[in-house]
Amino acid sequence: MKVAFIARTTLYTSPGGDTHQIDMTARYLRRLNVGVDIYLADETVNYVQYDLLHFFNIIRPADVLPHIRNTSKPFVISTIFVDYGEFEKKNRKGIAGIATRLFSADGLEYLKVFARWVKNGDRPGSMAYIWNGHRRSVQKLIREAAMLLPNSHSEYKRLEEKYQIRQAYHLVPNGIDTDICQKEYPELPEYKNAVLCMARIEGRKNQLHLIQALKNTSYRLFIHGKPSPNHQGYYEQCVAAAAGSDNIRVKSWLDGDGLYAAYYNAKVHILPSYFETTGLSSLEAAVMGCNIVITDKGDTREYFGDDAWYCNPDDPDSIRQAVEAAWVAPYNEAFRERILKEFTWERAAQETLAAYKKVLTRENELI
């Protein structure tokens, strides 16, 4: 079997959780003898050599529509259905703030496509998207996909409720790389018993409220991440807010063994986001020994259940109180075992392959 992964053009220039999901799913599918090639949405794909196409991020239909117009190959979509609505309405200022009050969430996504074109040269890939708009374009993808691959039942239910279309779906959990658990990591005094936040630095991730919550407290906070391309101003706000505080550091992204060594030494990992489908860095931190504080917005409870401390992203006091509770609590080894059983990239690849087989079996029956 051979599959083409097709993802947003900024997948590697502005990496995020979807970048990690795509790379790790591809790695573990290849271990199952599935041929996987990864393409950016603006690259040319020789569709004939693939059994099916696998797209990511249903909220970026302009990236998908040109490809499904050019081939009749069956396709699946990892939906990664992030809802920006609450963040946009509560936090956008100036012209962007006015737009959030004038337009629906789908209308705002439509405007963002053109904003990315003007600001970053990220051209809309499809005239169909321009004419049909965002909502109808997403609905078209839902209807025509052979199968949807959400990361949780909660995610699928939100998608169905918003767009009022049912479609076959197969749950593919996000996960951790079990290879990281088999290594030994050094003691790093800088990070020992610290609080970490590993994420792109942008308004939705809410690092500014985190800084406000923990500034001049006894907790050492390390925020590691790159600013999103359109959030440089927010990044500068975070740096300015942390300035003059002895206990907070805003630093560049960590990867590889350096990332996992930081997790291994830290006490708490926090994502106080306005929305998370999963919180991949939280899963990784948890399996490395961190207690987890995470947002109560999104699909996080389906992953973390009672094994995390939840915070209200709007309330710095709620964020601080959740960190305090997590910091004094002992680490729950049973949670680690649950992650290793339920949320691994090996299992994600197995479930992805099972979905592919369902789709191709059905396609063969129709021939």
Side-chain angles (χ1 to χ4, degrees):
M1 185 186 301
K2 196 169 183 182
V3 180
F5 280 14
I6 304 175
R8 60 185 171 92
T9 56
T10 55
L11 187 69
Y12 294 112
T13 56
S14 180
D18 58 342
T19 311
H20 194 52
Q21 177 179 340
I22 289 166
D23 286 344
M24 297 307 296
T25 303
R27 178 188 298 182
Y28 278 86
L29 278 172
R30 289 167 185 145
R31 293 185 184 184
L32 297 175
N33 297 316
V34 178
V36 179
D37 294 324
I38 300 174
Y39 294 91
L40 303 182
D42 59 353
E43 292 182 312
T44 300
V45 181
N46 181 7
Y47 307 109
V48 175
Q49 62 181 310
Y50 298 105
D51 296 291
L52 55 77
L53 310 179
H54 186 161
F55 296 99
F56 296 80
N57 291 306
I58 201 164
I59 62 172
R60 298 188 68 143
D63 290 340
V64 181
L65 291 171
H67 294 282
I68 66 173
R69 182 191 64 220
N70 291 335
T71 180
S72 60
K73 290 285 183 179
F75 67 92
V76 301
I77 306 176
S78 288
T79 46
I80 315 179
F81 181 45
V82 177
D83 185 351
Y84 291 95
E86 182 174 355
F87 164 72
E88 301 280 2
K89 291 186 182 300
K90 290 183 176 180
N91 294 277
R92 291 293 189 189
K93 309 297 182 185
I95 294 175
I98 294 171
T100 63
R101 292 186 287 274
L102 294 177
F103 295 92
S104 67
D106 288 313
L108 288 172
E109 291 301 321
Y110 187 72
L111 291 176
K112 285 181 190 177
V113 169
F114 293 96
R116 287 193 290 264
W117 185 7
V118 172
K119 189 168 185 179
N120 304 326
D122 190 4
R123 296 171 60 89
S126 170
M127 287 300 296
Y129 177 80
I130 294 172
W131 291 118
N132 291 328
H134 188 82
R135 182 175 179 83
R136 284 190 290 175
S137 294
V138 172
Q139 289 175 324
K140 176 180 175 66
L141 297 187
I142 296 172
R143 282 193 300 268
E144 297 187 10
M147 190 168 287
L148 303 177
L149 308 183
N151 294 140
S152 65
H153 296 296
S154 171
E155 182 185 341
Y156 172 77
K157 289 174 184 175
R158 287 189 296 102
L159 185 71
E160 181 186 302
E161 181 178 348
K162 180 167 184 177
Y163 290 102
Q164 296 296 299
I165 300 175
R166 289 187 176 183
Q167 179 56 283
Y169 78 96
H170 188 99
L171 177 61
V172 177
N174 268 331
I176 58 96
D177 183 2
T178 52
D179 291 348
I180 69 174
C181 305
Q182 299 170 9
K183 294 183 177 182
E184 293 187 3
Y185 296 94
E187 297 288 334
L188 299 176
E190 181 181 22
Y191 291 103
K192 195 66 177 177
N193 293 324
V195 179
L196 300 182
C197 177
M198 303 287 189
R200 280 193 298 186
I201 298 177
E202 61 184 27
R204 180 174 65 89
K205 296 295 185 178
N206 200 32
Q207 287 95 343
L208 188 57
H209 276 169
L210 174 57
I211 292 168
Q212 293 167 353
L214 297 189
K215 188 171 184 177
N216 297 323
T217 65
S218 60
Y219 302 102
R220 289 177 297 114
L221 170 64
F222 291 87
I223 296 174
H224 282 277
K226 294 180 179 179
S228 292
N230 299 320
H231 291 257
Q232 185 64 34
Y234 183 82
Y235 170 76
E236 291 169 0
Q237 278 186 284
C238 290
V239 172
S245 175
D246 292 336
N247 68 310
I248 299 177
R249 298 289 181 271
V250 180
K251 307 179 78 171
S252 61
W253 179 247
L254 288 173
D255 56 19
D257 287 352
L259 173 65
Y260 298 112
Y263 289 147
Y264 173 76
N265 282 271
K267 178 68 175 179
V268 172
H269 183 270
I270 177 168
L271 279 182
S273 314
Y274 278 93
F275 195 94
E276 290 288 346
T277 56
T278 305
L280 275 175
S281 59
S282 294
L283 281 178
E284 293 176 335
V287 85
M288 294 302 299
C290 288
N291 284 342
I292 300 303
V293 176
I294 199 162
T295 182
D296 62 359
K297 310 291 185 182
D299 309 311
T300 53
R301 290 185 185 272
E302 192 165 322
Y303 279 79
F304 296 94
D306 295 329
D307 293 314
W309 287 260
Y310 295 89
C311 65
N312 177 354
D314 267 331
D315 185 356
D317 286 339
S318 170
I319 294 169
R320 186 183 64 257
Q321 290 165 10
V323 170
E324 289 170 348
W327 200 88
V328 299
Y331 178 67
N332 183 0
E333 190 66 37
F335 182 35
R336 183 178 190 273
E337 295 304 315
R338 184 164 73 86
I339 292 172
L340 291 171
K341 180 180 179 181
E342 298 179 16
F343 304 125
T344 67
W345 291 120
E346 181 178 16
R347 184 177 171 219
Q350 291 168 348
E351 296 296 342
T352 302
L353 180 56
Y356 292 167
K357 288 179 177 178
K358 285 182 184 179
V359 168
L360 293 177
T361 297
R362 189 171 64 202
E363 289 291 318
N364 290 333
E365 290 172 351
L366 295 174
I367 295 176

